[in-house]
Amino acid sequence: GIQVEQSPPDLILQEGANSTLRCNFSDSVNNLQWFHQNPWGQLINLFYIPSGTKQNGRLSATTVATERYSLLYISSSQTTDSGVYFCAVEEDSSYKLIFGSGTRLLVRP
Amino acid sequence: EPEVTQTPSHQVTQMGQEVILRCVPISNHLYFYWYRQILGQKVEFLVSFYNNEISEKSEIFDDQFSVERPDGSNFTLKIRSTKLEDSAMYFCASKRGTNSGYTFGSGTRLTVV
């Protein structure tokens, strides 16, 4: 099955800093989503982005499907951005999301 | 914005007991899913459901697990005889069509004691 690798596994930032999270996947996909898991365990959908670039406030994402990677940019980070960020993909031959192991982000005040 | 609703948010049960986790997917969605996340680990696929039948299931989804969509709005996951290792967060998800994004519920935290 498809492999999804996220980097870095852990990231500590000072409030106000910018960061880039990466997601590599091993096969072609027809869906890619980024999620933020908050301290209460809820999975919050950030982007549905099988290709191209999207922006939502301080967050933006880019997926280059032909090169099998996606990037999540967080600018001017805030303490509320802390949590785990998951990339999840749906491969062409299947209708289920496969999650990466996540990037654990801690933003310090 | 439409939501996927899960109840209860937290359930504690004794080992060997049956539990039913409930979900109300978004009303015009056609594909339904259950995922689980053991504490500190990644989110794992359990089962997908489409057109009133299971379309795919993982190795985790053994004979102790079953799903049902009894009335066209609810989507349930039943664990017949719970084990300690079933303790996890269980997420329900739904999507409208094949080229749509997935919407996840807030999860049910199941603790087996």
Side-chain angles (χ1 to χ4, degrees), chain A residues 14-31:
Chain A
Q14 207 64 33
E15 196 169 30
N18 303 329
S19 63
T20 301
L21 281 56
R22 187 175 179 102
C23 173
N24 292 332
F25 42 96
S26 60
D27 209 342
S28 56
V29 299
N30 55 30
N31 182 2

Side-chain angles (χ1 to χ4, degrees), chain B residues 22-93:
Chain B
R22 302 180 190 280
C23 170
V24 179
I26 294 173
S27 61
N28 63 350
H29 283 193
L30 301 176
Y31 296 80
F32 312 109
Y33 302 83
W34 284 100
Y35 285 77
R36 81 169 187 190
Q37 184 184 30
I38 295 171
L39 186 65
Q41 299 185 21
K42 64 179 173 182
V43 181
E44 301 174 289
F45 167 77
L46 288 179
V47 64
S48 58
F49 192 88
Y50 171 71
N51 202 24
N52 285 318
E53 61 183 18
I54 290 174
S55 44
E56 190 171 350
K57 57 185 180 180
S58 71
E59 292 178 353
I60 304 167
F61 194 89
D62 62 20
D63 292 344
Q64 292 299 310
F65 291 88
S66 63
V67 291
E68 205 175 36
R69 187 159 162 79
D71 57 13
S73 61
N74 292 283
F75 180 50
T76 61
L77 174 69
K78 182 193 291 187
I79 309 174
R80 288 191 183 80
S81 178
T82 50
K83 305 170 191 165
L84 294 177
E85 54 264 37
D86 293 327
S87 296
M89 179 78 100
Y90 289 81
F91 292 102
C92 173

Side-chain angles (χ1 to χ4, degrees), chain A residues 12-101:
Chain A
I12 299 175
L13 298 175
Q14 207 64 33
E15 196 169 30
N18 303 329
S19 63
T20 301
L21 281 56
R22 187 175 179 102
C23 173
N24 292 332
F25 42 96
S26 60
D27 209 342
S28 56
V29 299
N30 55 30
N31 182 2
L32 187 146
Q33 288 182 245
W34 283 96
F35 295 89
H36 175 220
Q37 188 165 40
N38 62 23
W40 296 271
Q42 296 172 322
L43 283 172
I44 309 301
N45 181 55
L46 298 176
F47 294 102
Y48 166 67
I49 187 166
S51 63
T53 297
K54 291 186 178 179
Q55 181 157 4
N56 184 3
R58 296 181 296 103
L59 302 182
S60 63
T62 295
T63 297
V64 183
T66 53
E67 297 186 22
R68 299 182 183 164
Y69 73 89
S70 183
L71 302 173
L72 178 69
Y73 304 96
I74 304 174
S75 65
S76 304
S77 58
Q78 301 175 357
T79 55
T80 51
D81 294 333
S82 296
V84 183
Y85 289 81
F86 288 105
C87 168
V89 304
E90 180 187 85
E91 56 186 328
D92 284 349
S93 57
S94 172
Y95 295 123
K96 65 178 187 284
L97 275 182
I98 303 299
F99 282 74
S101 297

